[in-house]
Amino acid sequence: MQELVVKTQQRDQMVEITPHVQRVLDQASIDTGMVIVYVPHTTAGVTINENADPDVVHDTLTRLDKMVPWREPFDRHGEGNSASHVKASMMGASVTVLVQSGRLQLGRWQGIWFCEFDGPRTRSVWVSVQ
Amino acid sequence: MQELVVKTQQRDQMVEITPHVQRVLDQASIDTGMVIVYVPHTTAGVTINENADPDVVHDTLTRLDKMVPWREPFDRHGEGNSASHVKASMMGASVTVLVQSGRLQLGRWQGIWFCEFDGPRTRSVWVSVQ
Amino acid sequence: MQELVVKTQQRDQMVEITPHVQRVLDQASIDTGMVIVYVPHTTAGVTINENADPDVVHDTLTRLDKMVPWREPFDRHGEGNSASHVKASMMGASVTVLVQSGRLQLGRWQGIWFCEFDGPRTRSVWVSVQ
């Protein structure tokens, strides 16, 4: 299990980590199997989505923010970041990517994205080759 | 594969199952690998989120209920629990947790939560150590 | 890793692929383990949900469409399918299903569903037995 460090600059931000995950895989020198990318935080998540047009990230974060508003009148959590917790669960704490010939098997347009929902912060991402 | 039984008392309820999952892992006596926690139901799910402040659970369930209202005028499903099915898919049917030195590798504030969306019921959760 | 081909006829459509996944598992002739079902696209996903009443699928797709409207005034992505990307991340790019005695361990009402959010298209689904 290797740890990546991701620094974010905004409250909501998606950071592509595909090359870093591939680097961990390279060091493991396995041919076939899978990689688990796991986020050990409760106000951040991880997802797989398009890495070609940055506007997809903009639209995704803005749509999530509309679906899960920062404040709701019924909120009780004193830290005021309940929206971040909900978005984290909606994206999920881990993704699984298949490995063949030592390469991440991603679709042509897919990248692995760390999803910050309560930044800016310095975060950890755990990568395990199985 | 071990089966946990979870009893819920409300329509929407999150029940932390982290200690039960760790217990299954203890019995398997493996050092390194991963644990799959799988919910074999279609109106319940599983997620990883904060286990410190119970208000996070309140806010999460209330926000999900606002996003996915119990009744919609376009609903066709005769059982009337379509919202439960949607919430189950949004949280997901399984989570993957890494294992090192025989311990679940969770972040400091993370717990594993069974998510009931159509209770009260008696439910199964399957835990598999890989 | 085996590839399934799924053809869709509508913009939003859920296609059950459980029998095809079981067939891949049959060929692998393993007894115990797990199956990863992975979607290598960015406007489609995969989920586990009820396969008894087709009205659940109708209500799920209609509720997702209400939560994530096709057009939002703030959208920037030129292709105009940002909603598809968000729905794909909400459902997820993969599901993990446990295997015992060479059979997919699904709950009584569960099926594996390919989720098209930007069809009609011809899509790939990767199935890996671990």
Side-chain angles (χ1 to χ4, degrees):
Chain A
M1 190 169 103
Q2 295 288 314
E3 183 170 354
L4 308 177
V5 175
V6 180
K7 292 193 186 194
T8 57
Q9 288 77 40
Q10 296 173 290
R11 198 193 74 194
D12 295 278
Q13 188 177 348
M14 290 170 68
V15 181
E16 201 196 348
I17 57 173
T18 318
H20 307 284
V21 176
Q22 179 62 50
R23 208 165 301 137
V24 172
L25 178 55
D26 291 344
Q27 291 161 6
S29 60
I30 69 148
D31 183 74
T32 308
M34 61 187 185
V35 169
I36 310 293
V37 179
Y38 184 91
V39 171
H41 305 288
T42 61
T43 54
V46 60
T47 196
I48 291 172
N49 216 310
E50 174 171 325
N51 66 356
D53 178 3
D55 286 343
V56 172
V57 167
H58 168 271
D59 295 358
T60 298
L61 291 176
T62 312
R63 280 160 178 276
L64 285 174
D65 209 45
K66 193 186 160 201
M67 263 188 281
V68 191
W70 187 252
R71 290 201 178 283
E72 289 282 17
F74 51 74
D75 277 344
R76 291 186 190 163
H77 182 46
E79 287 185 60
N81 62 353
S82 291
S84 322
H85 289 283
V86 175
K87 290 173 186 172
S89 277
M90 285 171 69
M91 294 297 101
S94 76
V95 293
T96 301
V97 182
L98 300 171
V99 174
Q100 281 202 328
S101 309
R103 302 293 304 171
L104 294 169
Q105 298 302 294
L106 292 163
R108 182 173 176 181
W109 307 106
Q110 287 185 323
I112 305 169
W113 293 87
F114 173 81
C115 302
E116 174 66 78
F117 295 122
D118 194 23
R121 299 216 201 188
T122 300
R123 303 286 207 171
S124 298
V125 177
W126 297 340
V127 181
S128 172
V129 181
Q130 303 272 339
Chain B
M1 191 170 103
Q2 295 287 316
E3 182 169 355
L4 308 176
V5 175
V6 180
K7 293 193 186 194
T8 57
Q9 288 77 40
Q10 296 172 291
R11 197 193 75 194
D12 294 278
Q13 187 177 348
M14 290 171 69
V15 181
E16 201 194 349
I17 56 174
T18 318
H20 307 284
V21 176
Q22 179 62 49
R23 208 164 301 137
V24 172
L25 178 55
D26 292 345
Q27 291 161 6
S29 59
I30 69 148
D31 183 73
T32 308
M34 60 187 185
V35 168
I36 310 293
V37 180
Y38 184 91
V39 171
H41 305 287
T42 60
T43 54
V46 60
T47 196
I48 291 172
N49 216 310
E50 175 170 324
N51 66 357
D53 178 2
D55 286 343
V56 172
V57 168
H58 167 272
D59 295 358
T60 298
L61 291 176
T62 312
R63 281 161 178 276
L64 285 174
D65 209 45
K66 192 186 160 201
M67 263 188 280
V68 191
W70 187 251
R71 290 201 177 284
E72 289 281 19
F74 52 74
D75 277 344
R76 291 187 191 162
H77 182 46
E79 287 184 60
N81 63 352
S82 291
S84 321
H85 288 283
V86 176
K87 290 174 186 172
S89 277
M90 286 171 68
M91 295 297 101
S94 76
V95 294
T96 301
V97 182
L98 300 170
V99 174
Q100 282 202 328
S101 309
R103 302 293 304 171
L104 293 169
Q105 297 301 295
L106 292 163
R108 183 172 176 183
W109 306 107
Q110 286 184 323
I112 305 168
W113 293 87
F114 173 81
C115 302
E116 174 66 78
F117 295 123
D118 195 24
R121 299 217 200 186
T122 301
R123 302 286 206 171
S124 297
V125 178
W126 298 340
V127 181
S128 172
V129 181
Q130 302 271 341
Chain C
M1 190 169 104
Q2 295 287 315
E3 183 171 354
L4 308 176
V5 175
V6 181
K7 293 193 187 194
T8 56
Q9 288 78 39
Q10 297 173 289
R11 196 193 75 193
D12 295 278
Q13 187 177 348
M14 290 170 68
V15 181
E16 202 195 348
I17 56 173
T18 318
H20 308 283
V21 176
Q22 179 62 49
R23 208 164 302 138
V24 172
L25 179 55
D26 291 345
Q27 291 161 6
S29 60
I30 69 149
D31 183 74
T32 308
M34 61 188 185
V35 168
I36 310 293
V37 179
Y38 185 90
V39 171
H41 305 288
T42 61
T43 53
V46 60
T47 196
I48 291 172
N49 216 311
E50 175 170 324
N51 65 357
D53 178 3
D55 286 344
V56 172
V57 168
H58 167 271
D59 295 358
T60 297
L61 291 177
T62 313
R63 281 161 178 276
L64 285 174
D65 208 45
K66 192 186 160 201
M67 264 188 280
V68 191
W70 187 250
R71 290 201 176 283
E72 289 282 18
F74 51 74
D75 277 344
R76 292 186 190 162
H77 181 46
E79 287 185 59
N81 62 353
S82 291
S84 322
H85 288 283
V86 176
K87 290 173 185 172
S89 277
M90 285 171 69
M91 293 298 100
S94 76
V95 294
T96 301
V97 182
L98 301 170
V99 173
Q100 281 202 330
S101 310
R103 302 291 306 169
L104 293 169
Q105 298 301 295
L106 292 163
R108 183 173 176 182
W109 307 106
Q110 287 183 325
I112 305 168
W113 294 86
F114 173 81
C115 302
E116 174 66 77
F117 295 122
D118 194 24
R121 298 216 203 189
T122 300
R123 302 286 208 171
S124 298
V125 178
W126 298 338
V127 181
S128 171
V129 181
Q130 302 271 340

